[in-house]
Amino acid sequence: MTTSEQKLASGPDWYVSDVVCTAGAGDRPFEEEHRSVCIAAVTSGSFRYRTSQGTAMLAPGAVLLGNVGACYECGHEHGAGDRCLSFHFTPAYLDRIANDVPGAGKLAFGVPHLPPLPALTSLLAEAEAARETADIDAFEELGLRIAAAALAVGGAALAVAGEAAPAARTPSRRDQKRVAEAVRQIEFNADRPVSLSELAGSTATSPYHFLRTFRQVAGMTPYQFLLRTRLHRAAVRLRMSDEPISAIAFEAGFNDLSTFNRRFRRVMGETPGDYRARRSGSASPSPSAFAAF
């Protein structure tokens, strides 16, 4: 087996698992069926995900969306391995969540994924930190918050059940492979400067073509992805350690503490110090917090 799944926590109508896949380019894509509604956060690696909603290359920070009963295929021709935090809900349970999210209603996902989004960054960092520290009691609340956030910020990515999702051009496998390689290069070198020309050169494309392709596949520019990766790693460290904030910022790749503080507050909605102070008991954001994005 190339995939291992460890159930971290569960309750009536929901559970969350730590899913690790070691498949590589030499392994055949595997097909499965979503037996529940799935909202899975990619925490490392990348893979191709194909389902009736479409095809997408998922990278760290992206969120996989799976409808109950939908068949899907995952492939790793772009690189070996990935790891996800996979939240599963019964349809009735997700409907109850959707009823409390303005404008959501009773919905089915119309696209296969959400790209890395600022409104989800803080939540995903909390979830990854909970996994790493075995904070099992945190997952019920985190599952609710992540599901509600996905419904709130992914309005354009949702279609009313029974209606077809808007047709969209699917990036070629070559484009997906190039972006996946660049994503991994950013992951491995996020603590140092990574230039657009360097990334484009490694994929044998012009900087402009690479930039356009990366944004189409990943949902953001390479620089935005680099900053998101650095901020996510810093957020996880803030919740897991008592190291000085300046040390965490420098190790994440920020050479200036004021720049780190400013960018962190812009994305997370609070200062690094306030974010760290909440780790002993995080409060759910108000519905208006999602309206800002």
Side-chain angles (χ1 to χ4, degrees):
M1 290 288 292
T2 58
T3 303
S4 64
E5 181 175 357
Q6 178 186 1
K7 186 174 288 187
L8 301 176
S10 64
D13 299 325
W14 70 274
Y15 71 91
V16 57
S17 294
D18 181 19
V19 181
V20 178
C21 181
T22 58
D27 296 299
R28 295 184 60 183
F30 56 87
E31 296 183 358
E32 293 190 44
E33 178 184 345
H34 288 299
R35 301 186 182 277
S36 55
V37 179
C38 179
I39 300 175
V42 183
T43 61
S44 66
S46 63
F47 60 97
R48 179 175 56 82
Y49 172 63
R50 182 173 66 85
T51 186
S52 57
Q53 301 118 266
T55 301
M57 193 282 291
L58 275 68
V63 176
L64 177 152
L65 303 174
N67 293 318
V68 62
C71 294
Y72 66 94
E73 177 185 275
C74 292
H76 291 77
E77 63 266 39
H78 304 147
D82 66 84
R83 189 177 186 184
C84 298
L85 265 173
S86 189
F87 292 85
H88 298 264
F89 311 93
T90 64
Y93 189 76
L94 192 69
D95 277 345
R96 291 198 296 272
I97 298 173
N99 287 337
D100 293 325
V101 178
K106 295 187 176 182
L107 304 169
F109 297 119
V111 295
H113 84 305
L114 295 176
L117 296 171
L120 294 174
T121 300
S122 178
L123 279 174
L124 299 187
E126 287 186 48
E128 187 170 347
R131 180 188 67 192
E132 297 304 313
T133 59
D135 187 4
I136 304 304
D137 293 336
F139 279 114
E140 181 175 15
E141 180 182 324
L142 282 167
L144 285 168
R145 293 167 64 199
I146 287 173
L151 291 168
V153 304
L158 299 171
V160 176
E163 294 186 3
R169 175 185 174 275
T170 300
S172 69
R173 290 197 174 189
R174 177 177 294 182
D175 284 341
Q176 292 182 33
K177 182 176 185 296
R178 286 168 173 165
V179 173
E181 291 171 349
V183 163
R184 288 175 180 270
Q185 186 173 344
I186 292 173
E187 270 198 285
F188 294 146
N189 300 286
D191 59 345
R192 69 169 184 83
V194 181
S195 69
L196 179 62
S197 59
E198 177 185 353
L199 293 170
S202 67
T203 60
T205 59
S206 70
Y208 176 74
H209 177 78
F210 173 77
L211 175 61
R212 182 176 58 185
T213 302
F214 191 101
R215 188 167 189 173
Q216 180 188 17
V217 174
M220 60 178 59
T221 69
Y223 183 61
Q224 289 169 336
F225 184 82
L226 173 63
L227 288 178
R228 193 217 65 84
T229 300
R230 289 174 174 173
L231 287 170
H232 176 81
R233 290 180 180 178
V236 172
R237 294 282 295 281
L238 284 167
R239 298 191 74 85
M240 293 177 61
S241 78
D242 293 315
E243 292 180 77
I245 292 175
S246 57
I248 291 175
F250 296 147
E251 289 174 11
F254 293 91
N255 295 322
D256 181 82
L257 183 58
S258 62
T259 299
F260 168 70
N261 288 333
R262 184 172 63 253
R263 292 191 182 280
F264 191 98
R265 184 168 186 171
R266 182 183 303 167
V267 172
M268 302 294 193
E270 58 189 332
T271 67
D274 289 342
Y275 183 83
R276 165 176 274 174
R278 287 198 303 109
R279 67 182 176 185
S280 60
S282 54
S284 299
S286 65
S288 62
F290 295 119
F293 295 95

